[in-house]
Amino acid sequence: MKLPYAEPYRIKMTEEIHQSAPEERAEWIKNSHYNLFNLKSSQVFIDLLTDSGTGAMSDKQWAALMTGDESYAGSRSFEQLYNTVNKLTGFKHLLPTHQGRAAENVLFSVLVKEGNIIPGNSHFDTTKGHIEFRKAHAIDCTIDEAFDINNLYPFKGNIDLNKLEKVYQEYGKEKIPFCLITITCNSSGGQPVSMENIKAVRELSNQYGIPVFFDSARFAENAYFIKKREAAYQDKSIKEIVRELYSYGDGMTMSSKKDGLVNIGGFIALNNDEVFQKASNFTIIYEGFITYGGMAGRDMAALAQGLDEATEFTYLESRISQIEYLGNKLIEYGIPIQRPIGGHAVFIDALTFLPNVPRAEFPAQTLAIELYKEAGIRGVEIGILLADRDPETRENRYPKMELLRLAIPRKTYTNNHMDYIAAALKNVFERKNEITKGYKITWEPDILRHFTVHLTEA
């Protein structure tokens, strides 16, 4: 008999979570203006809002916290983090930040100017926000296969080279400070980018003299998919794949709260001396001194250990296997999800799931609210709310997909929790035809509205 898969770790500590009644949840979400970000964590049973900073750390990471060097400048913990990042990526400069959006803020303060064009593969919310805040424009060059949930193309995060070259030809290097590759591509369903595509983007960008940067929040998961789905890399280690991947880039931003396996932190890594010097000044202004940049020494020590652990195949196999377990359960129940199943989350097609809810009434947000009321599960909308308004016309932008993302925290929930999530969604799916109305906005901020927007029933 073939032995079943088992996680390569055991659980040392647990945290109590509260199961509430449907009546309580209905009142709580109403009082939160139907925005799941406004809920208290104590009002949530299974929290899939994000996988950012919500996972469990290893015993070695907890031990690293105790050895952190809190010196203001030149700490031992910075040296440890620098050596780990340099070994993994090959980049010679490192600037720590308190999280990924801070890394974007620092780097984009150097590189992005008014009127610039930033092409890439489905820029995520804070990335697009930082670009548009500077009166620049993000252009999505993702391949068309990404927007067909039933297409099993293995690298739906890929950049369409024809789309990218058209942008390069139209605007030129004077207007394009860099091309941004997001690995994995969150907005297209946690989908990976192939090494072949990364190399091709690098070669095309070289022809036009345009640098290539990576949004690296889930770089290790992307490397795992390259190993599993790209024949030339099946015998390569994750660390070897990561090192090659970054050899095709000029720099990276990192939200360490994902594949860094920590609760807080981020960084910029790059090779260009001039960009490093300018970014150092912005780091000091926005974050802190260049050898801590918004992170405590203990957090840098835990991050260095986490980056090493996250780039081991056994950990990644456990991580991705749990997401596939949930995704396959939903497929079994007939629930429409983005396929192939992505790296950090399962993405549900809300337009197919709730066909009777008008597009203007936010179907993915409606589905998220229904799932919360059904079972106390908190997901997040990746749809019209997140797409925000066009900064010039102020009209709602309608993305090609309307998704509910269920982001799975790392080493946090068991497969019993996955079964609970799947059953809850099945219950909502069975009454989908009864759900005919969504929500409308009563208040919203000027940018990144989905975090704080207020809604009411339509």
Coordinates of all heavy atoms in Angstrom, one line a residue, residues 39-81:
L39 N -14.3 43.8 10.0 CA -14.6 42.8 11.1 C -13.5 42.7 12.1 O -12.3 42.8 11.7 CB -14.9 41.4 10.5 CG -16.2 41.3 9.7 CD1 -16.2 40.0 8.9 CD2 -17.4 41.3 10.6
K40 N -13.8 42.4 13.3 CA -12.8 42.0 14.3 C -12.4 40.6 14.1 O -13.3 39.7 13.7 CB -13.4 42.2 15.7 CG -13.8 43.6 16.1 CD -14.4 43.6 17.5 CE -14.9 45.1 17.8 NZ -15.6 45.1 19.2
S41 N -11.2 40.3 14.4 CA -10.7 38.9 14.2 C -11.5 37.9 15.1 O -11.7 36.7 14.7 CB -9.2 38.8 14.5 OG -8.9 39.1 15.8
S42 N -12.0 38.4 16.2 CA -12.8 37.5 17.1 C -14.1 37.2 16.5 O -14.8 36.3 17.1 CB -12.9 38.2 18.5 OG -13.6 39.5 18.3
Q43 N -14.5 37.9 15.5 CA -15.8 37.6 14.8 C -15.7 36.7 13.6 O -16.6 36.4 12.9 CB -16.4 38.9 14.4 CG -16.8 39.9 15.5 CD -17.1 41.3 15.1 OE1 -16.7 41.7 14.0 NE2 -17.9 42.0 15.9
V44 N -14.4 36.2 13.4 CA -14.1 35.3 12.3 C -13.7 33.9 12.8 O -12.9 33.8 13.7 CB -13.0 35.9 11.5 CG1 -12.6 35.0 10.3 CG2 -13.4 37.3 10.9
F45 N -14.3 32.9 12.2 CA -13.9 31.5 12.6 C -12.7 31.0 11.8 O -11.7 30.6 12.3 CB -15.1 30.6 12.4 CG -14.8 29.2 12.8 CD1 -14.3 28.9 14.0 CD2 -15.0 28.1 11.9 CE1 -14.1 27.6 14.4 CE2 -14.7 26.8 12.2 CZ -14.3 26.5 13.5
I46 N -12.7 31.1 10.5 CA -11.6 30.8 9.6 C -11.3 32.0 8.8 O -12.1 32.5 8.0 CB -11.9 29.5 8.7 CG1 -12.2 28.3 9.6 CG2 -10.7 29.3 7.8 CD1 -12.5 27.1 8.8
D47 N -10.0 32.5 8.9 CA -9.7 33.8 8.3 C -8.8 33.6 7.1 O -7.6 33.2 7.2 CB -8.9 34.6 9.3 CG -9.0 36.1 9.0 OD1 -9.4 36.4 7.8 OD2 -8.7 37.0 9.8
L48 N -9.4 33.8 5.9 CA -8.8 33.6 4.6 C -8.7 34.9 3.9 O -8.6 35.0 2.7 CB -9.5 32.6 3.8 CG -9.8 31.2 4.5 CD1 -10.5 30.3 3.5 CD2 -8.5 30.6 5.0
L49 N -8.8 36.0 4.7 CA -8.7 37.4 4.1 C -7.4 37.5 3.3 O -7.4 38.1 2.2 CB -8.8 38.4 5.2 CG -8.8 39.9 4.7 CD1 -10.2 40.2 4.1 CD2 -8.5 40.8 5.9
T50 N -6.3 37.0 3.9 CA -5.0 37.2 3.2 C -4.1 36.1 3.8 O -4.3 35.6 4.9 CB -4.4 38.5 3.5 OG1 -3.1 38.6 2.8 CG2 -4.2 38.9 4.9
D51 N -3.0 35.8 3.1 CA -1.9 34.9 3.6 C -0.7 35.8 4.0 O 0.3 35.3 4.2 CB -1.5 33.9 2.5 CG -1.0 34.6 1.2 OD1 -1.5 35.7 0.8 OD2 0.0 34.1 0.6
S52 N -0.9 37.1 4.1 CA 0.1 38.0 4.3 C 0.3 38.2 5.8 O -0.5 38.9 6.5 CB -0.2 39.4 3.7 OG 0.9 40.3 3.9
G53 N 1.4 37.6 6.4 CA 1.7 37.8 7.8 C 0.9 37.0 8.7 O 0.9 37.2 9.9
T54 N 0.1 36.1 8.2 CA -0.9 35.4 9.0 C -0.6 33.9 9.3 O -1.3 33.2 9.9 CB -2.3 35.4 8.3 OG1 -2.2 34.8 7.0 CG2 -2.8 36.8 8.2
G55 N 0.6 33.5 8.8 CA 1.0 32.1 9.0 C 1.7 31.8 10.3 O 1.9 32.7 11.1
A56 N 2.1 30.6 10.5 CA 2.8 30.1 11.7 C 4.3 30.1 11.4 O 4.7 29.6 10.3 CB 2.3 28.8 12.1
M57 N 5.1 30.5 12.3 CA 6.6 30.4 12.1 C 7.1 29.1 12.7 O 6.5 28.5 13.6 CB 7.3 31.6 12.8 CG 7.0 32.9 12.2 SD 8.2 34.2 12.6 CE 8.1 34.3 14.4
S58 N 8.3 28.7 12.3 CA 8.9 27.5 12.8 C 9.6 27.7 14.1 O 9.8 28.8 14.5 CB 9.9 27.0 11.7 OG 11.1 27.8 11.7
D59 N 10.0 26.6 14.7 CA 10.7 26.7 16.0 C 12.1 27.4 15.8 O 12.5 28.2 16.6 CB 11.0 25.3 16.6 CG 11.6 24.3 15.6 OD1 11.7 24.6 14.4 OD2 12.0 23.2 16.1
K60 N 12.7 27.2 14.6 CA 14.0 27.9 14.4 C 13.8 29.4 14.2 O 14.7 30.1 14.5 CB 14.7 27.2 13.1 CG 15.1 25.8 13.4 CD 15.8 25.2 12.2 CE 16.2 23.7 12.4 NZ 16.8 23.1 11.2
Q61 N 12.7 29.7 13.6 CA 12.4 31.2 13.4 C 12.1 31.8 14.8 O 12.6 32.9 15.1 CB 11.2 31.4 12.5 CG 11.5 31.2 11.1 CD 10.3 31.5 10.2 OE1 9.4 30.6 10.1 NE2 10.3 32.6 9.6
W62 N 11.4 31.1 15.7 CA 11.2 31.7 17.0 C 12.5 31.8 17.8 O 12.7 32.7 18.5 CB 10.2 30.8 17.8 CG 8.7 31.1 17.3 CD1 7.9 30.3 16.6 CD2 7.9 32.2 17.7 NE1 6.7 30.9 16.4 CE2 6.7 32.1 17.0 CE3 8.2 33.4 18.4 CZ2 5.7 33.0 17.1 CZ3 7.2 34.3 18.5 CH2 5.9 34.1 17.9
A63 N 13.3 30.8 17.6 CA 14.7 30.9 18.2 C 15.5 32.0 17.7 O 16.2 32.7 18.5 CB 15.4 29.6 18.0
A64 N 15.3 32.3 16.4 CA 16.1 33.4 15.8 C 15.6 34.8 16.4 O 16.4 35.7 16.5 CB 15.9 33.4 14.3
L65 N 14.4 34.9 16.7 CA 13.9 36.1 17.4 C 14.7 36.4 18.6 O 15.0 37.6 18.9 CB 12.4 36.0 17.8 CG 11.4 36.0 16.6 CD1 10.0 35.7 17.2 CD2 11.3 37.4 15.9
M66 N 15.1 35.4 19.3 CA 15.8 35.6 20.6 C 17.3 36.1 20.4 O 17.9 36.5 21.3 CB 15.8 34.4 21.5 CG 14.3 33.9 21.8 SD 13.3 35.2 22.6 CE 14.2 35.5 24.1
T67 N 17.8 35.8 19.2 CA 19.2 36.2 18.9 C 19.3 37.5 18.1 O 20.4 37.9 17.7 CB 19.9 35.1 18.1 OG1 19.2 34.9 16.8 CG2 19.8 33.7 18.8
G68 N 18.2 38.2 17.9 CA 18.2 39.4 17.1 C 19.1 40.5 17.7 O 19.1 40.7 18.9
D69 N 19.8 41.1 16.8 CA 20.7 42.2 17.2 C 20.0 43.5 16.9 O 19.7 43.9 15.8 CB 22.0 42.1 16.5 CG 23.0 43.3 16.8 OD1 22.6 44.2 17.6 OD2 24.1 43.3 16.1
E70 N 19.6 44.3 18.0 CA 18.8 45.5 17.8 C 19.7 46.8 17.7 O 19.2 47.9 17.9 CB 17.9 45.6 19.0 CG 17.0 44.4 19.3 CD 16.1 44.1 18.1 OE1 15.9 44.9 17.2 OE2 15.7 42.9 18.0
S71 N 20.9 46.6 17.3 CA 21.8 47.8 17.0 C 21.1 48.7 15.9 O 20.6 48.1 14.9 CB 23.2 47.4 16.6 OG 23.8 46.6 17.6
Y72 N 21.2 50.0 16.1 CA 20.6 50.9 15.1 C 21.2 50.8 13.7 O 20.6 50.8 12.7 CB 20.7 52.3 15.6 CG 20.0 53.3 14.8 CD1 18.7 53.7 15.1 CD2 20.6 53.9 13.7 CE1 18.0 54.6 14.3 CE2 19.9 54.9 12.9 CZ 18.6 55.2 13.2 OH 17.9 56.1 12.4
A73 N 22.6 50.7 13.7 CA 23.3 50.6 12.4 C 24.2 49.4 12.4 O 24.9 49.1 13.4 CB 24.1 51.9 12.2
G74 N 24.2 48.7 11.3 CA 25.2 47.6 11.0 C 25.0 46.4 11.9 O 25.9 45.8 12.3
S75 N 23.7 46.1 12.2 CA 23.5 45.0 13.1 C 23.8 43.6 12.5 O 23.9 43.4 11.3 CB 22.0 45.0 13.6 OG 21.2 44.4 12.5
R76 N 24.1 42.7 13.4 CA 24.4 41.3 13.0 C 23.2 40.7 12.3 O 23.4 40.0 11.3 CB 24.7 40.5 14.2 CG 25.1 39.1 14.0 CD 25.4 38.3 15.3 NE 24.3 38.2 16.2 CZ 24.1 39.0 17.3 NH1 25.1 39.8 17.6 NH2 23.1 38.8 18.0
S77 N 22.0 41.1 12.7 CA 20.8 40.5 12.0 C 20.7 41.0 10.6 O 20.2 40.3 9.7 CB 19.5 40.9 12.8 OG 19.6 40.4 14.1
F78 N 21.0 42.3 10.3 CA 21.0 42.8 9.0 C 22.0 42.0 8.1 O 21.7 41.6 7.0 CB 21.4 44.3 8.9 CG 21.6 44.8 7.5 CD1 20.5 45.0 6.7 CD2 22.9 44.9 7.0 CE1 20.7 45.4 5.3 CE2 23.1 45.3 5.7 CZ 22.0 45.6 4.9
E79 N 23.2 41.8 8.7 CA 24.2 41.0 8.0 C 23.7 39.6 7.6 O 23.9 39.1 6.5 CB 25.5 40.9 8.8 CG 26.7 40.3 8.1 CD 27.9 40.2 8.9 OE1 27.9 40.8 10.1 OE2 28.9 39.7 8.5
Q80 N 23.0 39.0 8.6 CA 22.5 37.7 8.4 C 21.4 37.7 7.3 O 21.4 36.8 6.4 CB 21.8 37.2 9.7 CG 21.3 35.8 9.6 CD 20.6 35.4 10.9 OE1 20.5 36.2 11.9 NE2 20.1 34.1 11.0
L81 N 20.5 38.7 7.3 CA 19.5 38.8 6.2 C 20.2 39.1 4.9 O 19.8 38.5 3.9 CB 18.5 39.9 6.6 CG 17.4 40.2 5.6 CD1 16.6 38.9 5.3 CD2 16.5 41.3 6.1

